[in-house]
Amino acid sequence: MNVEKEYIKLIFGLKLKQARTNKNLSLFGLAKITELSKSYLNEIEKGKKYPKTDKIILLAEKLEVSYDHMVSLKLDNNLAPIGEILKSGILKEIPLDIFGIQENDLIDIIANAPAKVNAFISTIIEIAQHYNLTRESFFLAALRSYQEAHNNYFEDLEQKVLDFSKAFQININTKISIEDLTAVLTEEYGYTIQEIVFSEQEELGDLRSIYVPKSKTLLLSLDIDSQQKAFILAKEIAYNYLEITERLYTFSWIKFKNFDEVLNNFYASYFAGALLIPRKQLVSELNLFLAKTDPKPQEMIQLMSQFNVSPESFYQRLTNILPKDFQLKNIFFLRLSHKVGADTYQIKKELHITNQQEPHANEMNEHYCRRWISVKTIVESLKQNKSHFFDAQISRYENSGNEFLVFSSATEDPFKKDCLRSISVGILITSGMKKKFKFIDNKSIKKQIVGVTCETCAVKNCEERASPPIQLDLKIRNENTDLIVQKYMAKFS
């Protein structure tokens, strides 16, 4: 059944329930005065059934509302935002079942407290408009929640990679070659692969690949390096091996049509990462690295170089493996972007496993803490003119007191000219974590008190501060004002 018909049923159900509750009637009571079954009326209110004309006339008569009111798609002001949500089909676009939610559960909540739900939805819409929240941003936020709910580890996809390697006789214990990936696509899946100069057309400058489904042609930019090429090829294999049809056709993405494309893009990316960085090999290498008492930055870079992947893919893979195989479930992933010559840094991607950690995106144009190792690696990469600058730091967040060991790599942004980006993974320092990281107490690791944004930071005498703590000052001022108000209230009570 199409969305329009379902929308009509849902709206009628909401109107029926509103009219019934306005008359202080229970479902049992309405069934009694209309001689219609309670289960039938319940199905109507949940938007599962739409009554015939004679039944609508009967209901309108007994509820003392007009027939036209009941069949009209126009909702009262207190239900209008809900109608917009239902009409948009957004509940259909997001596979609620992956969160363990049934659409009817939401409909019941809406129907049981329409005024409160309306106020909630109106608030969300206002916030979204105020911060220019796009449809794509909403989808990506839903995806992050899905990843976080599963500790960003998906056993079925890990197994699919093992099944693939066995079926195609790919040795995943060694660095997979571009030639092997290309052969699978061309010989098994009938691809034609062509390399062209995307940068000749300004509009294509940020793209690295285009897939043409009609001819099964994969167009690759000549500007990409071997790591990017390997990831794109592995991702195309994933789309085919996982039998994904609803997919994106460009890398990087331009826009998502629906949530299925967002989710499938994630599945294909996860498969590609797991294929290029096999779990068993990575766990083994990480155990060797964590056993060191004084590892040098170059050793981490060497560890990454054992796999034909970018630093971002490597750090993303850590967010799969650390929670699962090392029981480190309080971690964050951050991608920070910086335009050369500018004084701003932007969080372009983030993920928080288990808890919402302190370094999170802020859409109020506030300045992220310049003491973050994510910022410092970018600064040092520019100073030292290094293609890959790695460093680590123990960051203690002023507001919470939590300490994180943060690894960060800064490289040129492959998608933006004159831009650098840093990829970071932060791991909450606990007694259990210290047992796994033998070098955690090594004095060579820098320790730093950090904030989230300069505007909210209480760190005193910070030489790196990019803005006064205006938000913090306002909060303190309001708290002091409240204390004085309380004294006056006590005095004149």
Side-chain angles (χ1 to χ4, degrees), residues 25-227:
L25 276 172
S26 65
L27 267 177
F28 180 87
L30 182 59
K32 194 168 183 179
I33 64 174
T34 59
E35 297 183 354
L36 300 173
S37 73
K38 180 183 173 183
S39 60
Y40 174 66
L41 292 171
N42 188 43
E43 294 274 281
I44 294 173
E45 289 193 356
K46 287 187 174 182
K48 293 181 179 179
K49 290 184 177 179
Y50 192 89
K52 293 182 179 179
T53 301
D54 61 327
K55 300 293 194 300
I56 297 175
I57 293 173
L58 174 63
L59 289 166
E61 178 187 339
K62 297 299 182 182
L63 292 170
E64 298 179 339
V65 295
S66 71
Y67 173 88
D68 289 343
H69 171 76
M70 291 300 293
V71 298
S72 169
L73 293 180
K74 186 177 180 181
L75 288 165
D76 294 344
N77 288 338
N78 67 325
L79 290 178
I82 296 172
E84 289 299 313
I85 292 292
L86 297 176
K87 189 175 183 180
S88 71
I90 192 72
L91 298 183
K92 296 294 180 188
E93 292 186 19
I94 299 178
L96 296 169
D97 56 299
I98 69 173
F99 296 101
I101 300 171
Q102 298 298 317
E103 184 180 354
N104 285 333
D105 295 336
L106 293 184
I107 300 302
D108 283 344
I109 293 171
I110 291 171
N112 286 328
K116 292 180 180 178
V117 173
N118 168 60
F120 174 74
I121 292 174
S122 297
T123 301
I124 295 299
I125 291 172
E126 186 175 340
I127 291 172
Q129 291 173 339
H130 186 69
Y131 292 107
N132 195 27
L133 179 65
T134 63
R135 195 159 171 262
E136 287 85 359
S137 297
F138 176 78
F139 284 156
L140 291 171
L143 174 63
R144 282 198 303 272
S145 297
Y146 175 58
Q147 292 176 254
E148 291 162 5
H150 290 81
N151 289 329
N152 203 31
Y153 182 83
F154 296 86
E155 187 66 51
D156 56 334
L157 293 174
E158 298 282 345
Q159 186 59 48
K160 287 286 186 182
V161 168
L162 297 178
D163 295 342
F164 167 81
S165 65
K166 182 178 180 181
F168 286 81
Q169 289 296 290
I170 300 292
N171 183 2
I172 59 175
N173 294 319
T174 60
K175 187 182 290 187
I176 300 174
S177 69
I178 297 290
E179 290 71 26
D180 281 343
L181 298 172
T182 301
V184 172
L185 284 174
T186 56
E187 297 176 26
E188 178 70 18
Y189 297 117
Y191 271 49
T192 298
I193 300 176
Q194 292 187 23
E195 295 184 282
I196 61 175
V197 181
F198 281 21
S199 56
E200 287 182 348
Q201 297 189 55
E202 185 178 349
E203 292 81 3
L204 300 181
D206 293 339
L207 294 186
R208 293 298 177 262
S209 70
I210 300 173
Y211 176 63
V212 184
K214 191 172 182 179
S215 61
K216 300 190 80 171
T217 300
L218 179 64
L219 303 176
L220 293 175
S221 170
L222 278 169
D223 293 329
I224 62 177
D225 58 28
S226 64
Q227 297 169 346

Side-chain angles (χ1 to χ4, degrees), residues 459-470:
V459 174
K460 304 294 185 184
N461 302 318
C462 177
E463 294 180 359
E464 294 93 340
R465 184 180 288 282
S467 171
I470 52 178

Side-chain angles (χ1 to χ4, degrees), residues 41 114 139 146 152 209 215 236 255 272 283-284 371 430 440 476:
L41 292 171
F139 284 156
Y146 175 58
N152 203 31
S209 70
S215 61
E236 287 298 323
K255 64 178 181 179
V283 169
S284 176
R371 294 184 173 193
T430 64
I440 191 66
I476 293 172

Side-chain angles (χ1 to χ4, degrees), residues 366-476:
E366 294 182 2
H367 298 77
Y368 296 118
C369 180
R370 287 349 190 213
R371 294 184 173 193
W372 286 358
I373 193 66
S374 307
V375 173
K376 290 182 176 180
T377 51
I378 290 176
V379 172
E380 287 302 316
S381 177
L382 281 169
K383 280 183 180 179
Q384 301 184 30
N385 194 27
K386 287 190 174 182
S387 59
H388 181 179
F389 184 85
F390 171 84
D391 205 354
Q393 174 177 292
I394 293 176
S395 297
R396 182 181 184 276
Y397 282 84
E398 174 71 11
N399 291 343
S400 67
N402 288 333
E403 285 190 325
F404 288 84
L405 172 63
V406 188
F407 297 116
S408 183
S409 288
T411 63
E412 287 186 6
D413 190 327
F415 300 105
K416 299 289 183 183
K417 187 178 180 181
D418 297 325
C419 283
L420 283 86
R421 65 181 186 179
S422 64
I423 311 297
S424 306
V425 165
I427 307 155
L428 182 68
I429 297 177
T430 64
S431 56
M433 180 268 196
K434 287 184 174 182
K435 292 178 182 177
K436 296 179 174 69
F437 287 70
K438 302 302 181 185
F439 56 83
I440 191 66
D441 291 322
N442 193 298
K443 296 188 184 301
S444 65
I445 301 179
K446 292 169 286 188
K447 293 186 177 183
Q448 184 69 274
I449 296 175
V450 300
V452 177
T453 67
C454 295
E455 286 80 353
T456 61
C457 183
V459 174
K460 304 294 185 184
N461 302 318
C462 177
E463 294 180 359
E464 294 93 340
R465 184 180 288 282
S467 171
I470 52 178
Q471 293 295 337
L472 181 65
D473 290 345
L474 179 61
K475 180 183 177 183
I476 293 172

